[in-house]
């Protein structure tokens, strides 16, 4: 039996030696691993093992490495959501909190669709003294900004008795249970 | 100490020398006490019937399957306490008695540290945990109508000290004459209590690495500490007035009308030792896990203190043993056998089903390195172990269901630890039903509570074989609370 165990240990050692160790440690002179590139396999597997639909918060409890910063939860925008582009954090605004032009709550037009407007365009002619008050400007330096709303960060959790039997040990005469 | 001894004592000595080694020998129960499996120290595992070899993914993996440590991704502090009760319903010559004992103890403190990795996993852990609970109790009271008694057994056993001075308990208690002849011939009421306590605990240093994708290897090294205490208080009473006359005939003022013989034996162990365990864990994506463990032999060193007090009561006298004469200090090793474990867990929609088996050949238990005990005695005990103990397979099953909306986990399990004695009926197997509950707060603090109820039968002899036997029905309950903080 002991020989078999030694053989097993030897086989495992040889397999690991030839294949190289799978684990790669982070070294201090490297940037600390972040969401997408660290522990690419084991982390994902563990998160899948305690998948969120069936294990809820245990998914994070078991699956998220401590050395990876946890990103905010990603929630796709819906028609009832507005998105703050500035800091990349998903800011959900209930329609009831949208202020109207008068600075008061809009309580009458809750289902009004959000209109995505393009970026201001600056005109190169600089002759936009349009009495119509149009804010449209065009510029040759215009960036290729499509004007679509985008998120600054897409980070989300998905990336992350002698011989006898005596009475309880007392010593007996030694002629016990055979 | 012998008070007076006969003129022809040399012949008696020659005979008794043969018997002396059987006076208070170590035995199979001592080896089994350390050799048998414990209940661990993790409420989640206990709630799932300790079927944890194929699941271990917390700091307690250091005990169940060191490879499971490799599954940790966050630092973990964990620990817990437990409360155990041991109830013994004993039948002794048609009389039944109930007796119980209980204990509360801190059962674990663990810390696990996963190193940051770019790929794979490397985790180290340190843990102090309880591995075995020696809490026990026994009470018996009944009239033995046979022609036997402990007095008679002790009358045939004489102990010699290093200077060759003989010691004989019945003689020192006035229960035989100078020729070591006693009129006591059974027909006594026998009663007593036994209270056991103590535990073994491990300081465990463990590590695990992901050696190939999804394949984890782990190893632990254990420093064992512990203690055991047994207090055995035994009485033989002449309740039916069989012995009204003089006991030690020929003496000038012999005691008459024997009434009571009491022997109190206290056994104390100071336990130390070491052991190692290797483990393997393979994770099949989200479907389940498979684990293997090899528990290498545990090397226990036992420093034993055995203290004996005795008293006899007669109508006209009372005798007391000199405690120094019959107390003893010895030292020896007990080596446990290899243990091979295999387990799995299956993950299905919030359910985790787990099972495992552990093979142990108890006939490989052995005493070793005696100090204060003759090598011949140790050889005899080891032969008895070979003859009377056999190989068993412990098996454990458990299930856990998580209610994700509230972070609540419900568990239940069942496991069996078969009797190590060859030929024992199945009622002698230790059977446990377990249940548990767990909650998670703030995604970092886990609390788990488990309850285990065990039941089995066993027997015990006060002396000899089946002459003064207790038939015991044991009920054992343990409540365990474990707190885990991950950050």
């Amino acid at each position: 039996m002991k020989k078999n165990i030694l053989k097993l240990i030897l086989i495992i050692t040889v397999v690991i030696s030839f294949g190289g160790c799978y684990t790669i440690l982070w070294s201090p002179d490297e940037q600390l691993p972040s969401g997408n590139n660290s522990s690419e396999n084991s982390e994902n597997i563990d998160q899948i093992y305690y998948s969120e639909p069936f294990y809820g918060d245990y998914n994070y409890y078991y699956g998220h490495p401590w050395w990876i910063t946890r990103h905010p939860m990603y929630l796709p925008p819906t028609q009832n959501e507005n998105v703050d582009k500035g800091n990349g954090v998903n800011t959900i605004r209930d329609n009831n909190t949208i202020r109207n032009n008068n600075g008061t709550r809009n309580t009458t037009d809750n289902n009004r669709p959000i209109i995505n407007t393009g970026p201001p365009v600056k005109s190169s002619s600089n002759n936009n003294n349009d009495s119509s008050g149009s804010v449209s400007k065009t510029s040759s330096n215009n960036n290729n900004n499509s004007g679509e709303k985008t998120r600054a960060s897409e980070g989300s959790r998905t990336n992350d008795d002698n011989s006898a039997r005596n009475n309880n040990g007392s010593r007996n005469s030694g002629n016990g249970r055979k | 100490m012998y008070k007076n001894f006969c003129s022809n004592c040399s012949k008696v000595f020659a005979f008794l020398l043969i018997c002396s080694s059987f006076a208070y020998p170590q035995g199979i129960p001592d080896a089994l006490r350390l050799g048998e499996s414990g209940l661990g120290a993790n409420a989640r595992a206990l709630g799932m019937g300790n079927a944890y070899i194929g699941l271990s993914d917390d700091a307690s993996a250091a005990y169940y399957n060191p490879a499971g440590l490799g599954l940790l991704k966050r630092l973990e502090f964990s620990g817990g306490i437990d409360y155990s009760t041991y109830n013994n319903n004993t039948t002794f010559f048609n009389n039944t008695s109930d007796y119980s004992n209980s204990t509360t103890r801190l059962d674990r403190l663990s810390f696990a540290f996963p190193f940051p990795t770019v790929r794979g996993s490397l985790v180290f852990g340190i843990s102090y945990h309880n591995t075995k609970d020696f809490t026990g109790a026994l009470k018996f009271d009944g009239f033995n109508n046979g022609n036997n008694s402990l007095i008679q057994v002790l009358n045939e056993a004489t102990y010699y000290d290093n200077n060759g001075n003989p010691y004989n308990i019945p003689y020192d208690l006035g229960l035989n004459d100078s020729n070591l002849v006693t009129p006591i011939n059974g027909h006594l009421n026998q009663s007593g209590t036994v209270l056991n306590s103590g535990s073994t605990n491990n300081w465990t240093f463990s590590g695990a690495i992901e050696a190939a994708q999804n394949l984890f290897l782990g190893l632990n090294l254990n420093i064992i500490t512990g203690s055991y205490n047994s207090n055995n208080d035994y009485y033989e009473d002449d309740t039916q007035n069989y012995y009204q006359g003089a006991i030690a005939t020929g003496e000038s003022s012999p005691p008459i009308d024997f009434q009571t013989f009491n022997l109190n034996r206290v056994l104390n162990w100071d336990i130390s030792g070491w052991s190692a365990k290797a483990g393997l864990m393979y994770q099949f994506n989200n479907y389940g896990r498979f684990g293997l463990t090899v528990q290498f032999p545990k090397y226990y060193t036992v420093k034993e203190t055995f203290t004996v007090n005795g008293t006899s009561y007669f109508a006209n006298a009372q005798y007391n043993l000199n405690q120094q004469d019959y107390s003893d200090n010895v030292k020896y090793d007990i080596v446990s056998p290899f243990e091979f474990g295999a387990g799995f867990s299956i993950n299905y929609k919030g359910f985790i089903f787990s099972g495992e088996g552990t093979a142990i050949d108890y006939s490989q238990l052995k005493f070793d390195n005696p100090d204060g005990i003759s090598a011949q005695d140790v050889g005899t005990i080891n032969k008895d172990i070979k003859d009377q103990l056999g190989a068993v397979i412990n098996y454990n099953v458990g299930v856990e269901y998580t209610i994700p909306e509230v972070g609540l986990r419900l568990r239940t399990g069942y496991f069996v630890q078969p009797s190590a004695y060859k030929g024992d009926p199945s009622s002698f197997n230790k059977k446990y039903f377990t249940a548990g509950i767990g909650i998670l707060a703030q995604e970092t603090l886990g609390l788990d509570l488990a309850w285990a109820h065990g039941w089995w039968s066993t027997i015990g002899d006060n002396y000899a074989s089946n002459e003064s036997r207790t038939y015991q029905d044991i009920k054992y309950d343990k409540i365990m609370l474990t707190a885990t903080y991950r950050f």
Side-chain angles (χ1 to χ4, degrees), chain B residues 307-319:
Chain B
T307 307
V308 179
N309 284 295
T311 308
S312 61
Y313 298 89
F314 301 85
N316 62 340
Q318 173 184 335
Y319 294 89

Side-chain angles (χ1 to χ4, degrees), chain B residues 16 26-27 49 112 146-147 154 174 204 207 213 218 287 304 342 347 357 366 400 402 444 464:
Chain B
L16 294 179
Q26 287 65 35
N147 298 321
L154 294 173
T204 300
Q213 188 173 351
Y287 304 118
E304 177 178 307
N347 182 2
K366 66 176 182 180
E400 177 184 73
T402 301
T444 55

Side-chain angles (χ1 to χ4, degrees), chain B residues 164-186:
Chain B
N165 297 316
Y167 299 86
N168 181 280
I169 289 176
Y171 188 85
D172 282 357
L173 292 178
L175 293 165
N176 58 20
D177 61 19
S178 55
N179 291 313
L180 303 183
V181 174
T182 178
I184 303 294
N185 189 32

Side-chain angles (χ1 to χ4, degrees), chain B residues 129-164:
Chain B
H129 52 258
N130 173 254
T131 52
K132 213 162 291 182
D133 178 16
F134 298 138
T135 301
L138 169 69
K139 190 175 192 177
F140 56 93
D141 190 349
F143 186 78
N144 183 350
N145 203 32
N147 298 321
N148 58 78
S149 66
L150 182 58
I151 295 170
Q152 293 163 257
V153 171
L154 294 173
N155 194 47
E156 297 176 2
T158 298
Y159 162 73
Y160 296 86
D161 66 13
N162 293 331
N163 298 321

Side-chain angles (χ1 to χ4, degrees), chain B residues 256-473:
Chain B
I256 58 171
D257 187 9
F258 165 68
Q259 296 173 348
T260 294
F261 161 71
N262 167 234
L263 196 65
N264 180 258
R265 291 161 287 186
V266 176
L267 179 66
N268 280 308
W269 279 5
D270 180 13
I271 304 166
S272 60
W274 67 276
S275 70
K277 190 176 197 175
L280 176 152
M281 177 85 80
Y282 186 78
Q283 181 161 294
F284 298 92
N285 293 328
N286 61 332
Y287 304 118
R289 295 170 181 160
F290 173 72
L292 292 174
T293 59
V294 177
Q295 171 67 64
F296 296 97
K298 302 167 193 163
Y299 292 85
Y300 297 97
T301 297
V302 177
K303 293 178 183 175
E304 177 178 307
T305 303
F306 190 52
T307 307
V308 179
N309 284 295
T311 308
S312 61
Y313 298 89
F314 301 85
N316 62 340
Q318 173 184 335
Y319 294 89
N320 295 305
L321 286 183
N322 182 356
Q323 180 182 308
Q324 302 298 323
D325 292 345
Y326 294 96
S327 300
D328 201 7
N329 291 291
V330 297
K331 181 180 170 185
Y332 48 86
D333 291 347
I334 293 176
V335 184
S336 72
F338 273 91
E339 298 176 18
F340 301 97
F344 68 92
S345 64
I346 296 171
N347 182 2
Y348 182 73
K349 292 185 176 179
F351 282 94
I352 293 178
F353 303 91
S354 62
E356 72 178 46
T358 306
I360 309 170
D361 185 354
Y362 285 111
S363 69
Q364 295 180 12
L365 269 167
K366 66 176 182 180
F367 284 79
D368 206 356
N369 299 323
D371 181 2
I373 311 170
S374 74
Q376 184 183 13
D377 290 344
V378 168
T380 301
I381 300 166
N382 287 338
K383 183 178 180 304
D384 288 342
I385 289 173
K386 295 281 183 201
D387 291 343
Q388 298 189 37
L389 303 186
V392 304
I393 295 180
N394 297 342
Y395 58 91
N396 311 53
V397 292
V399 61
E400 177 184 73
Y401 178 66
T402 301
I403 304 173
E405 293 82 3
V406 291
L408 185 69
R409 300 199 285 195
L410 305 173
R411 314 178 180 105
T412 187
Y414 177 77
F415 63 100
V416 177
Q417 297 175 335
S419 171
Y421 286 91
K422 292 175 183 173
D424 266 356
S426 61
S427 61
F428 282 39
N429 298 342
K430 294 181 178 178
K431 299 166 283 289
Y432 291 88
F433 168 79
T434 71
I437 189 171
I439 58 170
L440 182 64
Q442 301 298 316
E443 298 182 324
T444 55
L445 179 62
L447 286 175
D448 295 290
L449 184 67
W451 165 64
H453 175 71
W455 69 98
W456 64 92
S457 298
T458 189
I459 55 176
D461 291 317
N462 288 313
Y463 54 85
S465 177
N466 202 17
E467 292 185 348
S468 177
R469 177 164 288 182
T470 55
Y471 295 85
Q472 306 167 35
D473 291 318

